[in-house]
Amino acid sequence: MTPEELKGALKRQLAPRRAKWQKPAAVVRALGLRRGQVIAEVGSGPGYFTPRLARAVGPSGHVFAVDPEAAMLDVLRTRLARAGVKNVTPVLGRDDDPLLPRGRCQVAIIINAYHHIHGAPAFLRRLAAVLPRGARVINVDWDETSEFGPPPKRRVPRARFLRDARKAGLKLVSERAFLPHQYFLVLRRTR
């Protein structure tokens, strides 16, 4: 990212008005996280959700915050230090691999990020492969019919994401419909 691209991304991702449409407290509740869980936040960016997720799993839990942009992880580290959050490990992932420790994360959460991943199907296969059997993958991304959000050509339609997920060994187990511009899918690793 160039410094200007980083500045624009931070402005969008950390905007206070985001709470109105993103409903972060409701999203975290809907994730069904428990104290002590080890989770992955894929596409953490500067950490809009990261501190909330860290609080949800508590001090005995842990969050691996994955992002492919080193500059975003630098911003995340600064924000976590200022907030006193200690149960997060930033991970510099790749476009084709989250580089997570094998078998550790019971839940992998992707919020507003799948449409940014260049090798998305391969990435999802590698993500599923490092999760223990029965682990959950939760994807929240832009509904293709919403007039709000990124340009339609940048979005990943729900059906396409589910095709990618099936090929990665993930099965849809539930869906939530409380976000005005996004789908919320809960999947489990089946193999």
Side-chain angles (χ1 to χ4, degrees):
M1 277 188 154
T2 67
E4 286 303 311
E5 290 171 331
L6 177 63
K7 185 178 176 182
L10 292 174
K11 185 177 178 182
R12 282 189 310 277
Q13 292 180 30
L14 298 175
R17 68 182 180 275
R18 179 177 175 181
K20 184 175 181 177
W21 57 265
Q22 186 68 81
K23 304 183 184 306
V27 168
V28 172
R29 276 192 307 276
L31 295 172
L33 301 175
R34 294 184 320 275
R35 308 292 268 177
Q37 280 188 308
V38 176
I39 66 171
E41 178 190 14
V42 177
S44 64
Y48 181 79
F49 275 98
T50 312
R52 294 169 172 96
L53 298 173
R55 280 192 299 275
V57 298
S60 62
H62 199 79
V63 178
F64 288 95
V66 180
D67 203 90
E69 290 288 339
M72 281 290 186
L73 292 178
D74 289 342
V75 172
L76 173 65
R77 284 183 190 93
T78 300
R79 294 185 73 237
L80 294 172
R82 282 186 190 143
V85 176
K86 298 184 185 325
N87 61 338
V88 175
T89 300
V91 177
L92 183 62
R94 299 188 322 227
D95 279 341
D96 67 341
D97 194 332
L99 298 176
L100 287 166
R102 182 170 293 280
R104 293 270 323 271
C105 300
Q106 295 121 341
V107 182
I109 302 157
I110 310 168
I111 301 175
N112 302 341
Y114 193 74
H115 69 279
H116 287 290
I117 301 170
H118 295 293
F123 182 94
L124 196 58
R125 282 192 299 277
R126 285 191 177 91
L127 174 63
V130 299
L131 299 175
R133 187 178 174 94
R136 292 182 299 144
V137 174
I138 299 167
N139 184 38
V140 178
D141 218 325
W142 297 98
D143 186 297
E144 60 263 33
T145 62
S146 176
E147 293 183 18
F148 186 77
K153 67 182 179 182
R154 291 285 322 266
R155 301 177 194 198
V156 176
R158 178 185 172 280
R160 189 168 103 207
F161 174 78
L162 288 173
R163 268 194 311 274
D164 292 351
R166 272 192 301 278
K167 290 176 186 174
L170 299 168
K171 178 183 176 185
L172 180 67
V173 292
S174 67
E175 192 166 352
R176 306 291 298 271
F178 64 93
L179 293 169
H181 308 290
Q182 299 162 301
Y183 53 82
F184 185 114
L185 307 174
V186 181
L187 306 102
R188 283 216 185 264
R189 181 174 171 210
T190 58
R191 53 181 168 188

